[in-house]
Amino acid sequence: MFEAKLDRGIVLKKILDAINQLVNEASWECTSSGMSLQAMDTSHVSLVAVNLNGDGFSKFRCDRNMVLGMNLVNLSKILKCAGNDDKVTIKAADGDDKIKLIFEAPNEYEVSQYEIKLMNLDAEYLGIPETSYNVTVKMPAAKFQRICRDLNQIGDAVTISCTKSGVDFSATGDLGNGSVSLSQNSSFDKPEDNVTISMQEPLSQTFALKYLNQFTKATPLCSQVTLSLSPDVPLVVEYKIIEENEEDSKNEIGHIRYYLAPKIDD
Amino acid sequence: EIEQQCLPNYYDDS
């Protein structure tokens, strides 16, 4: 038996919005410690990994490890039927070929139930080792989204260059070129606007904006995004999954990490 | 369309 309850349905909606255009089908691995998912896009250039901690749920029970393969587009459709403030419970019985989704409205007298068929999906699991990255940039997620969107007006790829003075995002195309430079800054009053750069050595790598723009669908999950880069390894773009509850307190309940291989010739 | 490396070139698939 598997049962997981989140107090705010909007978190699950945001997670699905962040991944379902990149991957249509994927398997959730459910263990006593939480739920996780790893899937590559069809061209095997990018990968998304989601991790939800069991203790981030208001109720979490996993009697034995389960793999729940499903169509994420369909899951997303069903989740659109849940209110943002609904409590959402995912239930799966051992050996069953479907999962149940239960939405409880805040008014406490309205309960909706939906079922989704499970799928047997071929496992395509990549072993990603713990890596020490040369450059780590932590910046406002909305700023990163804006930069990727704006530079995609200029070209298909962005070159991320890190030096002691800061980080440059630049693109070149038929109409010309453009760049956005950020330097480290910190604000006590608005920590969500901070830019933090940690660098061992200067670095410059180029990535397809098509994928980065897909990654920024996770922007509503968290105010800050972390970019991790090293020569000859894929870029990692990480968003914490933050649940804001009624008292406006924020709990980190997991993360989404996107991996993107660099452009050829880099 | 720019040419991209594939992720399995970097990580073990199991």
Side-chain angles (χ1 to χ4, degrees), chain A residues 34-152:
Chain A
M35 294 177 74
S36 62
L37 172 151
Q38 192 202 83
M40 276 186 283
D41 72 289
T42 50
S43 58
H44 289 188
V45 168
S46 68
L47 178 144
V48 58
V50 182
N51 193 64
L52 287 164
N53 305 324
D55 54 15
F57 293 85
S58 55
K59 183 176 183 183
F60 191 84
R61 174 185 165 187
C62 185
D63 298 339
R64 64 177 188 85
N65 293 357
M66 291 178 99
V67 177
L68 307 176
M70 64 185 79
N71 181 304
L72 299 178
V73 179
N74 291 344
L75 176 62
S76 198
K77 280 182 192 170
I78 300 288
L79 284 171
K80 288 205 188 319
C81 305
N84 289 347
D85 295 325
D86 284 4
K87 292 179 168 63
V88 173
T89 303
I90 305 165
K91 270 188 181 180
D94 291 349
D96 208 351
D97 63 350
K98 56 188 181 295
I99 58 162
K100 190 177 279 187
L101 290 159
I102 302 161
F103 307 147
E104 296 170 77
N107 60 29
E108 294 180 347
Y109 58 77
E110 186 181 332
V111 178
S112 316
Q113 291 197 40
Y114 296 86
E115 286 184 342
I116 303 180
K117 288 178 189 164
L118 294 176
M119 309 166 78
N120 281 320
L121 300 173
D122 291 334
E124 276 189 311
Y125 192 85
L126 293 187
I128 301 172
E130 280 293 316
T131 305
S132 170
Y133 289 91
N134 225 315
V135 170
T136 306
V137 179
K138 200 171 177 194
M139 61 185 286
K143 177 66 69 185
F144 180 61
Q145 182 180 41
R146 180 70 195 259
I147 290 170
C148 291
R149 196 188 68 194
D150 289 352
L151 291 182
N152 213 177

Side-chain angles (χ1 to χ4, degrees), chain A:
Chain A
M1 176 73 182
F2 172 75
E3 185 173 356
K5 184 175 188 175
L6 269 178
D7 281 345
R8 299 210 63 216
I10 192 168
V11 178
L12 216 47
K13 288 182 179 205
K14 287 178 182 174
I15 293 169
L16 265 295
D17 286 345
I19 61 178
N20 69 8
Q21 286 176 17
L22 205 62
V23 288
N24 292 339
E25 295 171 347
S27 294
W28 288 95
E29 306 253 350
C30 306
T31 69
S32 56
S33 59
M35 294 177 74
S36 62
L37 172 151
Q38 192 202 83
M40 276 186 283
D41 72 289
T42 50
S43 58
H44 289 188
V45 168
S46 68
L47 178 144
V48 58
V50 182
N51 193 64
L52 287 164
N53 305 324
D55 54 15
F57 293 85
S58 55
K59 183 176 183 183
F60 191 84
R61 174 185 165 187
C62 185
D63 298 339
R64 64 177 188 85
N65 293 357
M66 291 178 99
V67 177
L68 307 176
M70 64 185 79
N71 181 304
L72 299 178
V73 179
N74 291 344
L75 176 62
S76 198
K77 280 182 192 170
I78 300 288
L79 284 171
K80 288 205 188 319
C81 305
N84 289 347
D85 295 325
D86 284 4
K87 292 179 168 63
V88 173
T89 303
I90 305 165
K91 270 188 181 180
D94 291 349
D96 208 351
D97 63 350
K98 56 188 181 295
I99 58 162
K100 190 177 279 187
L101 290 159
I102 302 161
F103 307 147
E104 296 170 77
N107 60 29
E108 294 180 347
Y109 58 77
E110 186 181 332
V111 178
S112 316
Q113 291 197 40
Y114 296 86
E115 286 184 342
I116 303 180
K117 288 178 189 164
L118 294 176
M119 309 166 78
N120 281 320
L121 300 173
D122 291 334
E124 276 189 311
Y125 192 85
L126 293 187
I128 301 172
E130 280 293 316
T131 305
S132 170
Y133 289 91
N134 225 315
V135 170
T136 306
V137 179
K138 200 171 177 194
M139 61 185 286
K143 177 66 69 185
F144 180 61
Q145 182 180 41
R146 180 70 195 259
I147 290 170
C148 291
R149 196 188 68 194
D150 289 352
L151 291 182
N152 213 177
Q153 305 292 324
I154 308 293
D156 293 334
V158 60
T159 298
I160 304 176
S161 305
C162 300
T163 62
K164 276 183 184 170
S165 57
V167 56
D168 284 2
F169 299 85
S170 58
T172 302
D174 293 341
L175 66 87
N177 61 72
S179 70
V180 180
S181 302
L182 296 178
S183 51
Q184 182 153 298
N185 70 69
S186 62
S187 157
F188 183 77
D189 294 332
K190 283 191 159 186
E192 65 273 18
D193 288 345
N194 288 358
V195 176
T196 314
I197 301 166
S198 156
M199 189 193 69
Q200 310 296 324
E201 286 174 35
L203 172 149
S204 181
Q205 281 183 312
T206 302
F207 301 94
L209 279 163
K210 181 175 89 171
Y211 296 97
L212 295 179
N213 275 312
Q214 295 277 359
F215 301 171
T216 62
K217 305 281 184 202
T219 303
L221 281 166
C222 183
S223 61
Q224 290 246 309
V225 61
T226 304
L227 315 179
S228 301
L229 305 101
S230 268
D232 305 321
V233 297
L235 162 75
V236 187
V237 180
E238 180 183 297
Y239 296 84
K240 305 287 186 200
I241 298 171
I242 307 291
E243 185 183 52
E244 294 179 41
N245 65 22
E246 291 158 356
E247 294 85 35
D248 279 343
S249 68
K250 295 178 180 180
N251 298 322
E252 183 186 324
I253 63 168
H255 61 250
I256 295 187
R257 286 184 187 141
Y258 300 95
Y259 296 80
L260 179 62
K263 182 177 164 287
I264 284 174
D265 297 327
D266 257 75

